[in-house]
Amino acid sequence: MPGIFQLAADNLVSPIILSFLLGLIAALGRSDLNFPEAIAKGLSIYLLFAIGFKGGVSVSGHGLDGKLVAALGAGVMLSLSLPVAAFALLRAMARLSVTDAAAIAAHYGSISIVTFVAATSLLAGQGIAAEGYMVAVAAAMEAPAIVSALWIVVARGGGGKRMSADLWREILLNGSIVLLIGSFVIGWMTGQGGLNEIGGLFVEPFKGVLCLFLLDMGLVAGRGLRTNRSTLSLRLVAFGIVMPVVGALAGLIFGIVLGLSQGGVVLMMVLSASASYIAVPAAMRVALPEANPALSLTLSLGVTFPFNLTLGIPLYMAAAEIAAGGNF
Amino acid sequence: MPGIFQLAADNLVSPIILSFLLGLIAALGRSDLNFPEAIAKGLSIYLLFAIGFKGGVSVSGHGLDGKLVAALGAGVMLSLSLPVAAFALLRAMARLSVTDAAAIAAHYGSISIVTFVAATSLLAGQGIAAEGYMVAVAAAMEAPAIVSALWIVVARGGGGKRMSADLWREILLNGSIVLLIGSFVIGWMTGQGGLNEIGGLFVEPFKGVLCLFLLDMGLVAGRGLRTNRSTLSLRLVAFGIVMPVVGALAGLIFGIVLGLSQGGVVLMMVLSASASYIAVPAAMRVALPEANPALSLTLSLGVTFPFNLTLGIPLYMAAAEIAAGGNF
Amino acid sequence: MPGIFQLAADNLVSPIILSFLLGLIAALGRSDLNFPEAIAKGLSIYLLFAIGFKGGVSVSGHGLDGKLVAALGAGVMLSLSLPVAAFALLRAMARLSVTDAAAIAAHYGSISIVTFVAATSLLAGQGIAAEGYMVAVAAAMEAPAIVSALWIVVARGGGGKRMSADLWREILLNGSIVLLIGSFVIGWMTGQGGLNEIGGLFVEPFKGVLCLFLLDMGLVAGRGLRTNRSTLSLRLVAFGIVMPVVGALAGLIFGIVLGLSQGGVVLMMVLSASASYIAVPAAMRVALPEANPALSLTLSLGVTFPFNLTLGIPLYMAAAEIAAGGNF
Amino acid sequence: MDTHPAKRVEIIIEAVMERHLTQALSEAGVTGFTVLPVMGGSGRSGEWSREGQVGRASGMVAVICLIRPERLDTLLDAAFAVVERHIGVVCITDAQVLRAERF
Amino acid sequence: MDTHPAKRVEIIIEAVMERHLTQALSEAGVTGFTVLPVMGGSGRSGEWSREGQVGRASGMVAVICLIRPERLDTLLDAAFAVVERHIGVVCITDAQVLRAERF
Amino acid sequence: MDTHPAKRVEIIIEAVMERHLTQALSEAGVTGFTVLPVMGGSGRSGEWSREGQVGRASGMVAVICLIRPERLDTLLDAAFAVVERHIGVVCITDAQVLRAERF
Ligand SMILES: Nc1ncnc2c1ncn2[C@@H]1O[C@H](COP(=O)(O)O)[C@@H](O)[C@H]1O
Ligand SMILES: Nc1ncnc2c1ncn2[C@@H]1O[C@H](COP(=O)(O)O)[C@@H](O)[C@H]1O
Ligand SMILES: Nc1ncnc2c1ncn2[C@@H]1O[C@H](COP(=O)(O)O)[C@@H](O)[C@H]1O
Ligand code: NA
Ligand code: NA
Ligand code: NA
């Protein structure tokens, strides 16, 4: 398997990863380099729109191969069930309160869209195709994990708000979900013609914008690690690396069962392996205010995200390739 | 005239319109999707600079065909006279106070640069040329409507500030007017060479930026409609649709009399039909503070802008084509 | 030497210079045109990343020709010694307090990265090559001038903070230095492959972004000139024009001694001639709070920057050409 | 100039709770408030800053209400119901306002 | 630490009127003020938010002035002349300041 | 609702000194503060605005601390040591807070 290491090494010297590392190092070294909040949000709007739109265009081109609904269902199931696994793992590995464990579990059931985007880039760079509708699957996996985690808390008597209609609306109409689905639909409806019109903004400059966004995420992750160092026990860090591998395995199985393309399997693994750091943290502050936000954010952004970005994705790609070759 | 409907239908599935609709729906559905204020302003600076600059470049290429001054004069006259029509219509259709009616009238005499840009895009997509200096006409039409409206208020004894030198400066040196004219001059002076230098930012990515800006405008319009639903009577909504048609007719006549190209006529119609939502609202807050700002903004952004964007522009294009064919 | 005037005239009608002038005129005319702070910062992050990255890529392509270390050393020496010259000149020309003179001197020993970028653009436009590592030299010249100026203050008994470890860290890990060096290293490591990946954002749109940034700088410079008119004596203005020429001369000598290419000599002159307006002003507020910030910022941004941008750079290019031709 | 006694209530609360708070205030009959952005801060749950952040989870806003003194308790009850389980501080100062008819 | 009595005046006013207000304050001899951004709010004229807005028409700023108590009336007269016809609130609190020589 | 007396200290200071100030406050045992952005202002050293600025040299922030009255002097000493040589104002008002156990 020298391929994995080669891939990982190649991956590590891409401008995208190096930008993240630059941010991480700058923040850990206490540089005052930082992005204004408005710019970070602007970059994330760009990325969500671009990835949604291009996914939609790709679906409009290749047509729906009938697996979309099955893939969406699989995504929802993964998002609902992964928090249960994460919760069990957390209770076994780290001694956290029910509330804290459930809050972290919600993050790991949901997804990180930037990890997804980075994986898409890497796949494209390798010339491996993937189903365009995986973007829709990503959107579908954002929220169910929240429901699952709140249900765990209620079942375990840990307090927590029951899902009110208001909370439902707040979660489902979360900006990033709406933007992702909306731009997916726009891409689907306008197809290649739409891409020709607005591709000048969303295609060529895309990777450069991703670089800047990852630089910012490195800065935020580094600052988080520096400030909240004390909250992260070694056991938690271990969880932050074990859990994505567990998730990726689940994603691999679902992906193969669904009969996704090799690229699609990788993306399913990446979605399952990645942990939310935008939608879920906000939802947890509303629904589980007693949970310590520093804990889950530091773990998700400071441990799991860099792990996936550097080692995880190449590993998942290698695993999917082996699986595709049938050499189980 | 099946052409109109085809055109309108084509227009409706462009990424630009769909982005606006996405924003509108998201905001009406109370999603928390939103653009930071700084990003919205940044996008508007980009659009104003790009449209002004490209207008200038086009004038430098084709030369001034002597009609610029006439077109500017026509623009000023339209901007001065349309508020009178709007005021009369408002007093007849909706029972508003003199101040409120005059404030709204000022919005409709002035112009919406995004509507102008969207029309330009549509024309370019259809391969219909238009005079580059129409951008300068747009700039010239921004302010006179304000003067006209204040004059109406004074004439009708509705109070209101008389135009002080200070107010004049504030209106004429409004950021969007200065940016539009300034970049027009830069484009004119640097010509094709300048375009080659900086076209990489202002040409290819342009339509994508317009998409994002319209997404934001949809969000703002939707939020405005949701919050201020109660202020909009049916009569006012009717005005918001009738007035642009009246304006477009005036623009059509002026455009034909001036001997503009078919594209130029369309743009003259669009300018006359559109209602300001940046420069005039701010000026009205200073000069007519008693007018209800929600009224004019909701009408301009929530009714007239979407009407022009979806149905208006194709309608005006069809009308200009018929007029050009001489089939009155 | 008609070449100089031709070059200066050509330079003056570039969109970049005209954008700066537009901003300057708008602000002096009290227009309310302005960029949000977040957008200005976002543009500067883009420019720093782009210029550092492309410098690194160029080094990775041409290889280090062994002169990098010498050039870095020369840059540090210039940055350390120019403040001494500036201080002497200031005490001779304008009657300033030790603190104010030292604070201004620090600005002139350090560099303005936008002036550097503008010169790079102009050189590229003329097809004149320059060493890619000049970006690293620029980064190396940012901070030493601060140390030098603080040393002057202490030597002259002018009070001022001694360099604490904390202050050292703050100066060296300044965001713009970290970003410039970091992106340089990323460019170096990823080379042409990296450029192919992210060039779509950092190459084609570059000059357009520079335009917008200069428009903003014109606005800020104009507002500064308007507000702080009274603090600028004629003697100070004279210093703001003489000092860059002195600096450029020093840069010319160092550049020739180092055996840099003609383009490299021009950049060395530009770095020496330009005055900081981001890193040094902030450091001075921390280390020399008694110095009047309006004085140095207005001089650097309102006098020296426009001088270099319009007349200085063409002058330095002509001087470097004459020197290269050996016609001293 | 005629001034009238009032209470100035400043509630610094998590950004995600802004809508919940302002809704509770409206329901309690508070007719006016102003929301200021917050850049960062520190408290028992550690330090935070909005710099470079995309999500709204770590971030706060400051809501300022000027009200007639006799309405203070109603407001505090409404605010407390929202703030109770959440991160946040509530601070009340005595103030004078112009144009009391507006409150 | 030596503190000195002062008045803290907070004027929340439409963004378009900021320049008009600060000019009036300067003319009234007020030598210092600080302007804070405002994100949104609610009042008799409804709710508003700066999010996604380009124009300055719907938006406010908060201007804070610390002054010596004896100068309060001059300031209020100047501020009121600007605020009078406009949307906005003025709130005065008793305060103590360090370095009174600055005011 | 139960309220408790407290002091509200508002320190408007140069942005470059923010970290220095909050560090000094922490060292003086101040456990909580909130930082508000500032858009512009005017004082003896002239007018300034953050608009379009890249550098942090001309810009201020407002740091708000709510503390128990008996801890005021410690805080002011710490703040003053930082503010002393720098541009900035310090303003103290009497306040009431909910949830005193937090301070
Ligand atoms: N004493 C205080 N004064 C001002 N702001 C505070 C204070 N305590 C807490 N805060 C703010 O409330 C946030 C959360 O506080 P805490 O719940 O103590 O972590 C902090 O990050 C500050 O923004
Ligand atoms: N009682 C209040 N407390 C705080 N801010 C207020 C209050 N009333 C009004 N405001 C602010 O002033 C703006 C305009 O108020 P109004 O004129 O009542 O619509 C509101 O949107 C708020 O930002
Ligand atoms: N009296 C005051 N009230 C409110 N803010 C002030 C006052 N004086 C100064 N400031 C703020 O502190 C900054 C610096 O003040 P100064 O040191 O007087 O130039 C000003 O730009 C204002 O932002
Ligand atoms: Na996951
Ligand atoms: Na119009
Ligand atoms: Na220099």
Side-chain angles (χ1 to χ4, degrees), chain C residues 224-290:
Chain C
L225 283 174
R226 190 157 52 74
T227 324
N228 304 307
R229 216 174 324 133
S230 56
T231 59
L232 277 195
S233 66
L234 232 128
R235 286 150 176 278
L236 268 179
V237 173
F239 169 82
I241 291 171
V242 170
M243 185 60 211
V245 177
V246 171
L249 250 172
L252 177 68
I253 296 172
F254 271 78
I256 290 174
V257 169
L258 284 167
L260 296 179
S261 70
Q262 189 181 329
V265 170
V266 171
L267 293 182
M268 195 60 123
M269 293 176 78
V270 166
L271 288 175
S272 306
S274 67
S276 174
Y277 65 90
I278 301 185
V280 176
M284 288 299 110
R285 290 313 303 146
V286 176
L288 286 183
E290 289 83 5

Coordinates of all heavy atoms in Angstrom, one line a residue, chain C residues 224-290:
Chain C
G224 N -7.7 61.3 5.4 CA -6.6 61.6 6.3 C -6.1 63.0 6.0 O -5.9 63.9 6.9
L225 N -5.9 63.3 4.7 CA -5.4 64.7 4.3 C -6.4 65.7 4.8 O -6.1 66.8 5.2 CB -5.2 64.7 2.8 CG -3.9 64.1 2.3 CD1 -3.9 64.1 0.8 CD2 -2.7 64.8 2.9
R226 N -7.7 65.4 4.5 CA -8.7 66.4 4.9 C -8.8 66.7 6.4 O -8.8 67.8 6.8 CB -10.1 65.9 4.4 CG -11.2 66.9 4.4 CD -12.3 66.6 3.4 NE -12.8 65.3 3.5 CZ -13.6 64.8 4.5 NH1 -14.0 65.7 5.5 NH2 -14.0 63.6 4.6
T227 N -8.8 65.6 7.2 CA -8.9 65.8 8.6 C -7.6 66.4 9.2 O -7.7 67.1 10.2 CB -9.2 64.4 9.3 OG1 -10.0 63.6 8.4 CG2 -9.9 64.6 10.6
N228 N -6.5 66.0 8.7 CA -5.2 66.3 9.4 C -4.4 67.3 8.6 O -3.2 67.5 8.8 CB -4.4 65.1 9.6 CG -5.2 64.0 10.4 OD1 -5.7 64.3 11.5 ND2 -5.3 62.8 9.9
R229 N -5.1 68.0 7.7 CA -4.4 69.1 6.9 C -3.5 69.9 7.8 O -2.3 70.1 7.5 CB -5.5 70.0 6.3 CG -5.1 70.5 4.9 CD -6.3 71.2 4.4 NE -7.6 70.5 4.8 CZ -8.6 71.2 5.4 NH1 -8.6 72.5 5.5 NH2 -9.7 70.5 5.7
S230 N -4.0 70.3 9.0 CA -3.3 71.3 9.8 C -1.9 70.7 10.3 O -1.0 71.5 10.6 CB -4.1 71.7 10.9 OG -4.6 70.6 11.6
T231 N -1.9 69.4 10.5 CA -0.6 68.8 11.1 C 0.5 68.8 10.1 O 1.7 68.7 10.5 CB -0.9 67.4 11.6 OG1 -1.2 66.6 10.5 CG2 -2.0 67.3 12.7
L232 N 0.2 68.9 8.8 CA 1.3 68.8 7.8 C 1.9 70.2 7.5 O 1.2 71.0 6.8 CB 0.8 68.2 6.6 CG 0.7 66.7 6.5 CD1 0.5 66.2 5.1 CD2 1.9 66.0 7.1
S233 N 3.1 70.4 7.9 CA 3.7 71.7 7.5 C 4.3 71.5 6.1 O 4.5 70.3 5.7 CB 4.9 72.0 8.5 OG 5.9 71.0 8.4
L234 N 4.7 72.6 5.5 CA 5.3 72.4 4.1 C 6.6 71.7 4.2 O 7.0 70.9 3.3 CB 5.6 73.8 3.6 CG 5.0 73.9 2.2 CD1 4.1 75.1 2.1 CD2 6.1 74.0 1.1
R235 N 7.4 71.9 5.3 CA 8.6 71.2 5.5 C 8.4 69.7 5.6 O 9.2 68.9 5.1 CB 9.3 71.6 6.8 CG 9.9 73.0 6.7 CD 9.9 73.7 8.1 NE 10.5 75.0 8.0 CZ 11.8 75.2 8.0 NH1 12.6 74.2 8.2 NH2 12.4 76.4 7.9
L236 N 7.3 69.3 6.2 CA 7.1 67.9 6.3 C 6.7 67.3 5.0 O 7.2 66.2 4.6 CB 5.9 67.6 7.3 CG 6.3 67.4 8.8 CD1 5.1 67.1 9.6 CD2 7.3 66.1 8.8
V237 N 5.9 68.0 4.2 CA 5.6 67.5 2.9 C 6.9 67.4 2.1 O 7.0 66.4 1.4 CB 4.6 68.5 2.2 CG1 4.4 68.1 0.8 CG2 3.3 68.5 3.0
A238 N 7.7 68.3 2.2 CA 9.0 68.2 1.5 C 9.8 67.0 1.9 O 10.3 66.2 1.0 CB 9.9 69.5 1.8
F239 N 9.8 66.7 3.2 CA 10.4 65.5 3.7 C 9.8 64.3 3.0 O 10.5 63.3 2.6 CB 10.4 65.4 5.2 CG 10.8 64.0 5.7 CD1 12.1 63.7 5.9 CD2 9.8 63.0 6.0 CE1 12.5 62.4 6.3 CE2 10.2 61.8 6.4 CZ 11.5 61.5 6.6
G240 N 8.5 64.3 2.9 CA 7.7 63.1 2.4 C 8.1 62.9 0.9 O 7.7 61.8 0.4
I241 N 8.7 63.8 0.3 CA 9.1 63.6 -1.2 C 10.6 63.4 -1.3 O 11.1 62.6 -2.1 CB 8.6 64.8 -2.0 CG1 7.1 64.8 -2.1 CG2 9.2 64.8 -3.4 CD1 6.5 66.0 -2.7
V242 N 11.4 64.1 -0.4 CA 12.8 63.9 -0.5 C 13.2 62.6 0.0 O 14.1 61.9 -0.6 CB 13.5 65.1 0.4 CG1 15.0 64.8 0.5 CG2 13.3 66.4 -0.3
M243 N 12.6 62.1 1.2 CA 13.1 60.9 1.8 C 12.9 59.7 0.9 O 13.9 58.9 0.8 CB 12.3 60.7 3.1 CG 12.7 59.5 3.9 SD 14.5 59.6 4.4 CE 15.0 57.9 4.4
P244 N 11.8 59.5 0.1 CA 11.8 58.4 -0.8 C 12.9 58.4 -1.8 O 13.5 57.3 -2.2 CB 10.4 58.5 -1.4 CG 9.8 59.8 -1.0 CD 10.5 60.2 0.2
V245 N 13.3 59.6 -2.3 CA 14.3 59.7 -3.3 C 15.7 59.2 -2.6 O 16.4 58.5 -3.2 CB 14.4 61.1 -3.8 CG1 15.6 61.2 -4.8 CG2 13.1 61.4 -4.6
V246 N 15.9 59.7 -1.4 CA 17.1 59.3 -0.7 C 17.1 57.8 -0.5 O 18.1 57.1 -0.8 CB 17.1 60.0 0.7 CG1 18.3 59.4 1.6 CG2 17.3 61.5 0.6
G247 N 15.9 57.2 0.0 CA 15.8 55.8 0.1 C 16.1 55.0 -1.2 O 16.8 54.0 -1.2
A248 N 15.5 55.5 -2.2 CA 15.6 54.9 -3.5 C 17.1 54.8 -3.9 O 17.6 53.8 -4.5 CB 14.8 55.6 -4.6
L249 N 17.8 55.9 -3.7 CA 19.2 55.9 -4.0 C 20.0 54.9 -3.2 O 20.8 54.1 -3.8 CB 19.8 57.3 -3.6 CG 20.2 58.2 -4.8 CD1 20.6 59.6 -4.4 CD2 21.4 57.5 -5.5
A250 N 19.7 54.8 -1.9 CA 20.3 53.7 -1.1 C 20.0 52.3 -1.7 O 20.9 51.5 -1.8 CB 19.9 53.8 0.3
G251 N 18.7 52.2 -2.1 CA 18.3 50.9 -2.6 C 19.0 50.6 -3.9 O 19.4 49.5 -4.2
L252 N 19.2 51.6 -4.7 CA 19.9 51.5 -6.0 C 21.3 51.0 -5.8 O 21.8 50.0 -6.4 CB 19.9 52.8 -6.7 CG 20.7 52.9 -8.1 CD1 20.0 52.1 -9.1 CD2 20.9 54.4 -8.5
I253 N 22.0 51.6 -4.8 CA 23.4 51.2 -4.6 C 23.4 49.7 -4.1 O 24.2 48.9 -4.6 CB 24.0 52.1 -3.5 CG1 24.1 53.6 -4.1 CG2 25.4 51.7 -3.1 CD1 24.5 54.6 -3.1
F254 N 22.6 49.4 -3.1 CA 22.6 48.1 -2.6 C 22.2 47.1 -3.7 O 22.8 46.0 -3.8 CB 21.6 47.9 -1.5 CG 22.1 48.2 -0.1 CD1 22.3 49.5 0.3 CD2 22.5 47.2 0.8 CE1 22.9 49.8 1.6 CE2 23.0 47.5 2.0 CZ 23.2 48.8 2.4
G255 N 21.3 47.4 -4.5 CA 20.8 46.5 -5.6 C 21.9 46.2 -6.6 O 22.1 45.1 -7.0
I256 N 22.7 47.3 -6.9 CA 23.8 47.1 -7.9 C 24.9 46.3 -7.3 O 25.4 45.4 -7.9 CB 24.2 48.5 -8.4 CG1 23.2 49.1 -9.3 CG2 25.5 48.3 -9.2 CD1 23.4 50.5 -9.7
V257 N 25.2 46.6 -6.0 CA 26.3 45.9 -5.4 C 26.0 44.4 -5.3 O 26.8 43.5 -5.5 CB 26.6 46.5 -4.0 CG1 27.5 45.6 -3.2 CG2 27.2 47.9 -4.1
L258 N 24.7 44.1 -5.0 CA 24.2 42.8 -4.9 C 24.2 42.0 -6.2 O 24.1 40.8 -6.3 CB 22.8 42.7 -4.3 CG 22.7 42.9 -2.8 CD1 21.2 43.1 -2.5 CD2 23.2 41.7 -2.0
G259 N 24.2 42.8 -7.3 CA 24.2 42.2 -8.6 C 22.8 41.7 -9.0 O 22.6 40.7 -9.7
L260 N 21.8 42.4 -8.5 CA 20.4 42.0 -8.8 C 20.1 42.3 -10.3 O 20.8 43.2 -10.9 CB 19.4 42.8 -8.0 CG 19.4 42.5 -6.5 CD1 18.4 43.4 -5.8 CD2 19.2 41.1 -6.2
S261 N 19.1 41.7 -10.8 CA 18.6 42.0 -12.2 C 18.1 43.4 -12.2 O 17.8 44.0 -11.1 CB 17.5 41.1 -12.6 OG 16.4 41.3 -11.8
Q262 N 17.8 44.0 -13.4 CA 17.3 45.4 -13.4 C 16.0 45.5 -12.7 O 15.8 46.4 -11.9 CB 17.1 45.8 -14.9 CG 16.8 47.2 -15.1 CD 16.6 47.6 -16.5 OE1 17.2 47.0 -17.4 NE2 15.8 48.6 -16.8
G263 N 15.1 44.5 -12.9 CA 13.9 44.5 -12.2 C 14.1 44.4 -10.7 O 13.4 45.1 -9.9
G264 N 15.0 43.6 -10.2 CA 15.3 43.5 -8.8 C 15.8 44.8 -8.2 O 15.4 45.2 -7.1
V265 N 16.6 45.5 -9.0 CA 17.1 46.8 -8.5 C 16.0 47.7 -8.3 O 15.9 48.4 -7.3 CB 18.2 47.3 -9.5 CG1 18.5 48.8 -9.1 CG2 19.4 46.5 -9.5
V266 N 15.1 47.8 -9.3 CA 13.9 48.7 -9.2 C 13.1 48.3 -7.9 O 12.8 49.2 -7.1 CB 13.0 48.6 -10.4 CG1 11.7 49.3 -10.1 CG2 13.7 49.0 -11.6
L267 N 12.9 47.0 -7.7 CA 12.1 46.7 -6.5 C 12.9 47.0 -5.2 O 12.2 47.5 -4.2 CB 11.8 45.2 -6.5 CG 10.8 44.8 -7.6 CD1 10.5 43.3 -7.6 CD2 9.5 45.6 -7.6
M268 N 14.2 46.9 -5.2 CA 14.9 47.2 -4.0 C 14.8 48.8 -3.8 O 14.7 49.2 -2.6 CB 16.4 46.9 -4.2 CG 17.3 46.9 -3.0 SD 16.6 45.7 -1.7 CE 18.0 44.7 -1.4
M269 N 14.8 49.5 -4.8 CA 14.6 51.0 -4.7 C 13.3 51.3 -4.2 O 13.1 52.1 -3.3 CB 14.8 51.6 -6.1 CG 16.2 51.5 -6.6 SD 16.3 52.2 -8.3 CE 16.4 54.0 -8.0
V270 N 12.3 50.6 -4.7 CA 10.9 50.9 -4.3 C 10.7 50.5 -2.8 O 10.0 51.3 -2.1 CB 9.9 50.1 -5.2 CG1 8.5 50.1 -4.6 CG2 9.9 50.7 -6.6
L271 N 11.2 49.4 -2.4 CA 11.1 49.0 -1.0 C 11.7 50.1 -0.1 O 11.2 50.5 0.9 CB 11.8 47.7 -0.8 CG 11.0 46.5 -1.3 CD1 11.8 45.2 -1.1 CD2 9.7 46.3 -0.7
S272 N 12.9 50.5 -0.5 CA 13.6 51.5 0.3 C 12.9 52.9 0.3 O 12.9 53.6 1.3 CB 15.0 51.7 -0.2 OG 15.7 50.5 -0.3
A273 N 12.3 53.2 -0.8 CA 11.6 54.5 -1.0 C 10.3 54.5 -0.3 O 9.8 55.6 0.0 CB 11.5 54.8 -2.5
S274 N 9.7 53.4 -0.1 CA 8.3 53.4 0.3 C 8.2 53.4 1.9 O 9.2 53.1 2.6 CB 7.5 52.2 -0.2 OG 8.0 51.0 0.4
A275 N 7.1 53.9 2.4 CA 6.9 54.0 3.8 C 5.7 53.2 4.3 O 4.7 53.1 3.7 CB 6.7 55.5 4.2
S276 N 5.9 52.5 5.4 CA 4.9 51.6 5.9 C 3.6 52.4 6.3 O 3.7 53.5 6.7 CB 5.4 50.9 7.2 OG 4.4 50.2 7.8
Y277 N 2.5 51.7 6.2 CA 1.2 52.3 6.7 C 0.4 51.3 7.4 O -0.8 51.6 7.7 CB 0.5 53.1 5.6 CG 0.0 52.1 4.6 CD1 -1.3 51.5 4.7 CD2 0.8 51.8 3.5 CE1 -1.7 50.6 3.8 CE2 0.4 50.9 2.6 CZ -0.9 50.3 2.8 OH -1.3 49.4 1.9
I278 N 0.8 50.1 7.5 CA 0.1 49.1 8.3 C 0.8 48.6 9.5 O 0.4 48.8 10.6 CB -0.3 47.9 7.4 CG1 -1.1 48.3 6.1 CG2 -1.1 46.8 8.2 CD1 -1.6 47.2 5.3
A279 N 1.9 47.9 9.3 CA 2.6 47.3 10.4 C 3.2 48.3 11.4 O 3.0 48.3 12.6 CB 3.7 46.3 9.9
V280 N 4.0 49.3 10.8 CA 4.7 50.2 11.7 C 3.7 51.1 12.5 O 3.9 51.3 13.7 CB 5.7 51.1 10.9 CG1 6.4 52.1 11.8 CG2 6.8 50.1 10.3
P281 N 2.7 51.7 11.9 CA 1.8 52.5 12.7 C 1.3 51.8 13.9 O 1.2 52.4 15.0 CB 0.6 52.9 11.7 CG 1.3 52.8 10.3 CD 2.3 51.7 10.4
A282 N 0.9 50.6 13.7 CA 0.4 49.8 14.9 C 1.4 49.6 15.9 O 1.2 49.8 17.1 CB -0.2 48.5 14.4
A283 N 2.6 49.3 15.5 CA 3.7 49.1 16.5 C 4.1 50.4 17.2 O 4.3 50.3 18.4 CB 5.0 48.5 15.7
M284 N 4.0 51.5 16.5 CA 4.3 52.7 17.1 C 3.3 53.1 18.2 O 3.6 53.7 19.2 CB 4.4 53.9 16.1 CG 5.6 53.8 15.2 SD 7.2 54.0 16.1 CE 7.8 52.3 16.0
R285 N 2.0 52.8 17.9 CA 1.0 53.1 18.9 C 1.3 52.3 20.2 O 1.0 52.8 21.3 CB -0.4 52.7 18.5 CG -1.0 53.5 17.3 CD -0.8 55.0 17.6 NE -1.4 55.5 18.8 CZ -0.9 56.5 19.6 NH1 0.2 57.1 19.3 NH2 -1.5 56.8 20.7
V286 N 1.8 51.1 20.1 CA 2.2 50.3 21.3 C 3.4 50.8 22.0 O 3.5 51.1 23.2 CB 2.3 48.8 21.0 CG1 2.7 48.0 22.2 CG2 1.0 48.3 20.4
A287 N 4.5 51.1 21.1 CA 5.8 51.3 21.7 C 6.1 52.8 21.9 O 6.8 53.2 22.9 CB 6.8 50.7 20.8
L288 N 5.5 53.7 21.1 CA 5.7 55.1 21.3 C 4.4 55.9 21.3 O 4.1 56.7 20.5 CB 6.6 55.7 20.1 CG 8.0 55.4 20.0 CD1 8.7 56.1 18.9 CD2 8.7 55.8 21.3
P289 N 3.6 55.6 22.3 CA 2.2 56.2 22.3 C 2.2 57.7 22.3 O 1.2 58.3 21.9 CB 1.6 55.6 23.6 CG 2.7 55.1 24.4 CD 3.8 54.7 23.5
E290 N 3.3 58.3 22.7 CA 3.3 59.8 22.8 C 3.5 60.4 21.4 O 3.2 61.6 21.2 CB 4.5 60.3 23.7 CG 4.2 60.0 25.2 CD 4.6 58.6 25.5 OE1 5.2 57.9 24.7 OE2 4.4 58.2 26.7

